[in-house]
Amino acid sequence: MGESSIGGDTRGESTEGGVGLEDVSVTFGDVPALSDVTLSVAEGEFFTLVGPSGCGKTTTLRTVAGFETPTSGSVRIGGRDVAGLPPEQRDVGIVFQNYALFPHMTVEENVAYGLRYRSPPGDVGPDERVADLLELVDMADLTDRRPESLSGGQQQRAALARALAPGPDVLLLDEPLSALDARLREQLRVEVREIQRELGITTIYVTHDQAEALAISDRIAVMNDGRIEQIGTPEDVYRDPATRFVAEFVGENNVFDARVDGDGRTLTIGDDTIVSIDDETIELPQSLPERGELTVCVRPEDVHFGPGETALSATVEHVEFLGDAYRVHCAWNGRSIRARTQRAPEGENVTLGFDATDVTVVRSE
Ligand code: ATP
């Protein structure tokens, strides 16, 4: 996006504190939409809520914004409890999925509308503030256009400028890119992140797209059924999923039911088939949580042709060419297993291998 002198000079951009939710529950009639959600977003952090449709992401965001009232629990913004404060007194800027620009106003008027309740932060007047923001979002050439003559991406840039105009403490973005085509989405997410960094504004971002969440965030909260399953950096959540849900939702994974045997450090997958170093079991580098049933996973990129510390006799069922790799769908003793490989399989019968260090143990529930 464009060059701008807007970073770091204003009231709103030097945010005081982040956002905290403590044991927040929200119920719609009998439907629990959020159950005991606790999270804390640091000042200046880019924090993403990710999860499948209906898991409570938007409700969480709307609760921070003041559009929903928690049934129990508390919300803090910039260190103060905001219970009872209406949205316009919470110092939050919001961008929704569906653009929500005023159709009868130009881009410039839409952005200026963001200043209707507040004077601009810093020493600048409204006109200069609007011009600076339009520069920041790379819309300086389109100030007189009406929304109908803008692309989806341009409309979202204008919506972002409007949300930022009063210098909010917190930016809330609800699936802002999901109506755009894939290439534009990838381009704009980089730009959104650059703007967020330049302003240092505390940001909560909602998406159902786990790849987008991994790419854009400082930290991620993975949500499922109104609850938080895991909070961590993208690397943590990807490499060390806490639950089976996270292992299956974030990135591709092979997930197996397994059993801890013997000395509590060895693992058996299936009744009759053994993932093995010694034809019986695989010994993991981490100590296993307990004896008995558990869930393990191995990323497809860690499964390769030929034996590793394991050697599985598998049958190729389907091969997808992805451009930078092949996704090879195989059957292994009644289970599906996927490998992401640099070369296509030769023949139908293959040996698949992976190493003990590539196996992650997760909670089964
Ligand atoms: P999506 O990705 O589809 O937008 P989401 O993760 O944002 O989903 P929410 O919109 O927060 O999920 O919805 C959480 C749950 O609360 C869902 O079961 C939804 O049907 C329900 N819900 C949300 N808003 C209302 C409402 N106004 N009245 C009744 N139920 C609601």
Side-chain angles (χ1 to χ4, degrees), residues 28 31-33 51-60 68 174-175 206 208:
F28 296 111
V31 182
S53 182
C55 72
K57 308 178 294 290
T58 295
T59 304
T60 307
E68 308 295 350
D174 191 357
E175 305 249 13
V206 161
H208 61 273

Side-chain angles (χ1 to χ4, degrees), residues 156-209:
Q156 283 307 59
R157 289 166 196 261
L160 181 60
R162 185 177 66 181
L164 291 169
D169 286 343
V170 177
L171 182 61
L172 304 176
L173 303 171
D174 191 357
E175 305 249 13
L177 309 181
S178 61
L180 309 175
D181 71 59
R183 192 170 287 258
L184 185 58
R185 220 161 49 220
E186 286 187 16
Q187 181 195 330
L188 261 185
R189 78 183 181 208
V190 173
E191 297 183 10
V192 166
R193 185 65 219 243
E194 280 174 358
I195 289 174
Q196 186 271 339
R197 278 215 180 96
E198 182 169 346
L199 302 182
I201 187 168
T202 308
T203 299
I204 307 181
Y205 187 92
V206 161
T207 180
H208 61 273
D209 180 341

Side-chain angles (χ1 to χ4, degrees), residues 222 227-231 240-248 255-257 289-290 293-297 360-365:
V222 183
R227 296 178 186 278
I228 291 183
E229 295 264 332
Q230 184 172 7
I231 297 178
D240 199 10
T243 65
R244 181 175 191 134
F245 177 84
V246 175
E248 288 179 329
V255 179
F256 304 112
D257 294 323
E290 59 196 31
E293 309 295 317
L294 43 74
T295 302
V296 295
C297 41
T360 307
V361 178
V362 297
R363 289 203 310 269
S364 291
E365 72 280 358

Side-chain angles (χ1 to χ4, degrees), residues 77-343:
I77 299 179
R80 66 177 174 154
D81 191 322
V82 292
L85 276 189
E88 63 274 13
Q89 288 176 26
R90 292 195 177 196
D91 274 347
V92 296
I94 310 173
V95 179
F96 299 102
Q97 175 182 350
N98 55 357
Y99 314 136
L101 294 174
F102 296 112
H104 58 287
M105 292 184 188
T106 64
V107 165
E108 195 169 35
E109 288 164 348
N110 264 284
V111 177
Y113 188 83
L115 294 168
R116 68 198 179 285
Y117 294 124
R118 286 180 69 166
S119 54
D123 297 332
V124 300
D127 293 349
E128 196 181 337
R129 176 73 178 169
V130 170
D132 279 352
L133 282 164
L134 288 172
E135 184 86 25
L136 182 74
V137 300
D138 213 8
M139 291 282 287
D141 296 342
L142 302 169
T143 55
D144 294 331
R145 293 273 199 93
R146 287 187 199 280
E148 66 195 5
S149 68
L150 297 175
S151 70
Q154 289 164 341
Q155 290 188 54
Q156 283 307 59
R157 289 166 196 261
L160 181 60
R162 185 177 66 181
L164 291 169
D169 286 343
V170 177
L171 182 61
L172 304 176
L173 303 171
D174 191 357
E175 305 249 13
L177 309 181
S178 61
L180 309 175
D181 71 59
R183 192 170 287 258
L184 185 58
R185 220 161 49 220
E186 286 187 16
Q187 181 195 330
L188 261 185
R189 78 183 181 208
V190 173
E191 297 183 10
V192 166
R193 185 65 219 243
E194 280 174 358
I195 289 174
Q196 186 271 339
R197 278 215 180 96
E198 182 169 346
L199 302 182
I201 187 168
T202 308
T203 299
I204 307 181
Y205 187 92
V206 161
T207 180
H208 61 273
D209 180 341
Q210 52 82 29
E212 190 169 280
L214 292 174
I216 203 169
S217 317
D218 288 318
R219 282 189 309 149
I220 297 173
V222 183
M223 298 188 69
N224 178 30
D225 203 16
R227 296 178 186 278
I228 291 183
E229 295 264 332
Q230 184 172 7
I231 297 178
T233 64
E235 289 86 349
D236 285 343
V237 168
Y238 187 86
R239 293 185 186 141
D240 199 10
T243 65
R244 181 175 191 134
F245 177 84
V246 175
E248 288 179 329
F249 186 79
V250 177
E252 264 194 90
N253 229 331
N254 295 295
V255 179
F256 304 112
D257 294 323
R259 203 172 67 238
V260 183
D261 288 326
D263 58 6
R265 280 181 55 82
T266 52
L267 195 71
T268 306
I269 298 176
D271 295 334
D272 50 356
T273 306
I274 308 298
V275 180
S276 104
I277 313 169
D278 58 7
D279 271 351
E280 280 280 300
T281 51
I282 181 165
E283 185 161 342
L284 293 181
Q286 71 261 47
S287 57
L288 296 170
E290 59 196 31
R291 295 160 83 93
E293 309 295 317
L294 43 74
T295 302
V296 295
C297 41
V298 187
R299 295 278 179 197
E301 63 264 30
D302 294 324
V303 180
H304 48 78
F305 294 131
E309 291 175 1
T310 63
L312 317 180
S313 297
T315 312
V316 174
E317 294 199 313
H318 183 62
V319 181
E320 292 174 90
F321 178 55
L322 305 174
D324 61 344
Y326 294 89
R327 184 187 286 130
V328 187
H329 299 252
C330 299
W332 160 56
N333 273 27
R335 285 175 203 83
S336 297
I337 180 167
R338 276 163 296 165
R340 194 178 169 101
T341 61
Q342 288 304 308
R343 59 185 173 85

Side-chain angles (χ1 to χ4, degrees), residues 35-73:
S35 307
D36 295 325
V37 167
T38 296
L39 59 87
S40 134
V41 183
E43 183 173 339
E45 186 173 30
F46 197 112
F47 189 92
T48 297
L49 304 170
V50 68
S53 182
C55 72
K57 308 178 294 290
T58 295
T59 304
T60 307
L61 207 69
R62 288 174 58 83
T63 304
V64 173
F67 296 122
E68 308 295 350
T69 305
T71 331
S72 59

